[in-house]
DNA sequence: AATGAATGAGCCTTCATTCAT
DNA sequence: TATGAATGAAGGCTCATTCAT
């Protein structure tokens, strides 16, 4: 039952993979169409243009990631524990989804980037709240969320990329060390 | 614009700025030529093709950065002090050269990236040595240089970018905090 | 211009004429597109690139020629008669298609030439068989087909070219003489 | 003592070889300059432009060929003998100078060709006279020199090309047969 | 005479986007 | 909805030719 949702998903999946491998400008719409079993024309029914497709994909990826993270969170645990658990989950997610990492890094470092309204996503809001609580509890430095992210999420993506590209081989021990490093960077 | 060096420099300067603003694929060679006061054809005397221009520029930027850093190093100081001083210098450099930051981030996150031989640059080797010494002195975690970089240089670039784009406003105090965070992330 | 066949034919026709007049390298794809009533881009749907277009055209021309020749053959006649009739038909064909002559000569004398698989065309095979029979019947010299061709088809093209360019004026009598010369060159 | 003559010769030699291998339009002036040990600029001192270079080279080649042929002629022999001897010399010359063959064929089959005034070369005039005598003596068909050429020189070049490209292997016997064929094609 | 850096027009080719079917 | 042929603008690159030295 190939409905709209499925078709969009197929387009997203193919686009993600192709852009990860080839880059945005080396990924023609025609190729996306062919590999996702649709036609060039139909993509323009679902998306305004190529840019819109990319932005939509980015939003999809971002919220999917938040959802995944939230699913790993355990509010019963101590907040420090929760942080570390989430960072480990994030790192694993990046390692398990190398194309996603490539896509995200390209997207967020291109002159493309438009302030997407991803702060509105409910799951992301939940994650942000966790940080706000930690700040209030004097567990981490009182810095804007963007900076917290720069010292935690950013290194983790970069780390995963190193691993995914085979430049280093992350052992379980190193992963624990990495999560520890994130925490040390922001803890008060 | 008398000699080859000057011409190459002019081309590099313009290319860096344009790619920072527009991205690689939205920066035609013709525009680079015009803005650097030359012709499209002559660029191909100096560089094999567009890719080669970019790779050469990247190398130039990378070694220039190392040179700048080394010039700020003071071997007399205690090694911890030296680290922090260098990270602060790095952060300042990124803040003072926003186009460079944009260019580097794009370059290193594109399917472009070729293992450039930047490990050979003498200044970079000196910086690496500093890390090796710190590891031997049990001051920082015994991790591969790539991972050390992921928890120090990577966040600093990202931080500078946030500042350069006006998303956050880095105060001197925050800069000190940031450098502290880098150190905390890697210290033993 | 309803279907693919027609469009390809239009492109072939225009390409043949332009290359005959201007030569391969002085015939831009854009001109071919314009004169064949299409766009530059669409040619690349039908042909991989300019070279492919030329090679395809050459094949088309070659097989078209064989077909024309075969249509003039009369297996009832004595084999010597058939030969002469075919050579006369060939000469006429060259005279009636001056652009084709120019194109073929350019193509076959350029560093282009790729061993095309024109030996496989059924009509060409028939023509080759005729030669083989004549050899077996001790009517013509036992030489490889390529050499037979060099003393018959080659002079006839060259002769037609002289006529087409107005350097000489071929009378019917001279045409008969020419065919006779071909035959004398190869007969035993 | 690198005088003008030598330099021109070097340019001619290189141009001949390069065009034979790569074709006219794939042979940049810069390459000719480099391989002939001169500069692009100097070629434009000797020749008006690229076309002029080619035409001059063609003239050089053509007259050189005539000179070579004449040197092999023996007026003492019977005229039929002389013809065959000259055709054999021609065939040998083509076989010994494969680049020359490629160049000539390209040149004479391109929309380039300008009526060069090669009828004026004294050696060529001598060769033409031989044909005129043979016609007057009723030894060969009374045809314009161009047509005589089409049935003799043209097949011989084509034959040599086949041999040079390795498509056929010309034995001494086949060469004699070939010369015989030329004669048979034009004899009365 | 000689060099070769510099110019810039021109061409092949790609690809986002449209639209007839 | 869906297709994919068609368009045409744009860009990378080449190379004949010039000219300052």
């Amino acid at each position: 039952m190939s409905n709209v949702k499925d078709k969009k998903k197929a387009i997203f999946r193919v686009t993600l993979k192709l852009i990860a491998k080839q880059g945005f400008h080396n990924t023609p719409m025609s190729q996306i169409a062919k590999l996702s079993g649709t036609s060039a024309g139909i993509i323009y029914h679902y998306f305004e243009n190529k840019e819109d497709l990319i932005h939509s994909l980015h939003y999809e990826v971002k919220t999917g990631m938040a959802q995944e993270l939230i699913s790993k969170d355990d509010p019963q645990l101590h907040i420090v524990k929760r942080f570390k658990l989430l960072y480990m989950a994030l790192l694993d997610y990046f390692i398990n989804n190398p194309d996603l990492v490539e896509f995200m890094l390209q997207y967020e470092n291109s002159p493309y980037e438009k302030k997407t309204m991803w702060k509105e996503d409910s799951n992301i809001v939940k994650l942000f709240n966790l940080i706000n609580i930690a700040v209030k509890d004097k567990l981490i430095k009182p810095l804007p969320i963007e900076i917290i992210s720069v010292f935690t999420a950013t290194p983790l993506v970069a780390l995963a990329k190193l691993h995914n590209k085979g430049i280093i081989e992350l052992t379980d021990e190193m992963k624990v060390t990495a999560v520890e490093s994130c925490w040390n960077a922001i803890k008060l």
Side-chain angles (χ1 to χ4, degrees), chain A residues 78-93:
Chain A
H78 182 267
I79 197 161
V80 177
K81 196 84 190 158
R82 283 172 75 191
F83 260 89
K84 294 190 179 172
L85 185 146
L86 284 173
Y87 288 140
M88 183 60 81
L90 197 57
L91 181 54
D92 281 331
Y93 193 65

Side-chain angles (χ1 to χ4, degrees), chain A residues 98-143:
Chain A
D99 286 346
L100 178 149
V101 168
E102 290 301 314
F103 172 77
M104 292 288 287
L105 285 173
Q106 274 183 66
Y107 181 90
E108 291 178 356
N109 291 295
S110 294
Y112 270 124
E113 200 195 353
K114 282 192 184 122
K115 278 325 116 292
T116 25
M117 355 85 284
W118 50 280
K119 289 197 180 183
E120 294 165 8
D121 180 77
S122 71
N123 287 323
I124 292 182
V125 168
K126 285 182 198 162
L127 293 171
F128 284 177
N129 283 343
L130 195 59
I131 295 179
N132 288 331
I133 293 172
V135 169
K136 223 182 300 174
D137 289 357
K138 312 250 184 220
L139 289 173
I140 66 176
K141 297 174 183 168
L143 293 167

Side-chain angles (χ1 to χ4, degrees), chain A residues 9-178:
Chain A
K9 235 174 223 171
I11 294 170
F12 276 152
R13 187 168 27 81
V14 168
T15 306
L16 181 73
K17 183 188 294 201
L18 288 180
I19 291 188
K21 301 300 197 247
Q22 310 173 340
F24 177 72
H25 281 94
N26 291 313
T27 300
M29 292 295 265
S30 57
Q31 195 186 17
I32 296 175
K34 183 178 296 182
L35 291 191
S36 56
T38 58
S39 69
I42 205 62
I43 300 185
Y44 284 85
H45 268 276
Y46 296 139
F47 306 97
E48 257 179 56
N49 49 35
K50 198 178 176 182
E51 278 220 351
D52 181 36
L53 165 59
I54 304 303
H55 290 311
S56 304
L57 171 55
H58 180 240
Y59 181 79
E60 192 78 1
V61 163
K62 200 95 183 189
T63 53
M65 221 168 75
Q67 198 169 32
E68 165 79 9
L69 273 195
I70 283 297
S71 80
K72 296 293 171 66
D73 185 30
D74 180 355
Q76 310 291 0
L77 300 177
H78 182 267
I79 197 161
V80 177
K81 196 84 190 158
R82 283 172 75 191
F83 260 89
K84 294 190 179 172
L85 185 146
L86 284 173
Y87 288 140
M88 183 60 81
L90 197 57
L91 181 54
D92 281 331
Y93 193 65
F94 289 145
I95 287 173
N96 293 328
N97 297 276
D99 286 346
L100 178 149
V101 168
E102 290 301 314
F103 172 77
M104 292 288 287
L105 285 173
Q106 274 183 66
Y107 181 90
E108 291 178 356
N109 291 295
S110 294
Y112 270 124
E113 200 195 353
K114 282 192 184 122
K115 278 325 116 292
T116 25
M117 355 85 284
W118 50 280
K119 289 197 180 183
E120 294 165 8
D121 180 77
S122 71
N123 287 323
I124 292 182
V125 168
K126 285 182 198 162
L127 293 171
F128 284 177
N129 283 343
L130 195 59
I131 295 179
N132 288 331
I133 293 172
V135 169
K136 223 182 300 174
D137 289 357
K138 312 250 184 220
L139 289 173
I140 66 176
K141 297 174 183 168
L143 293 167
I145 283 174
E146 284 90 351
I147 296 189
I148 297 295
S149 174
V150 147
F151 281 101
T152 51
T154 301
L156 290 181
V157 202
L159 190 62
K161 180 171 178 168
L162 285 179
H163 175 79
N164 295 337
K165 293 180 70 173
I167 294 171
I168 58 164
E169 170 97 17
L170 275 185
T171 62
D172 282 348
E173 200 191 331
M174 285 162 91
K175 282 163 63 182
V176 172
T177 307

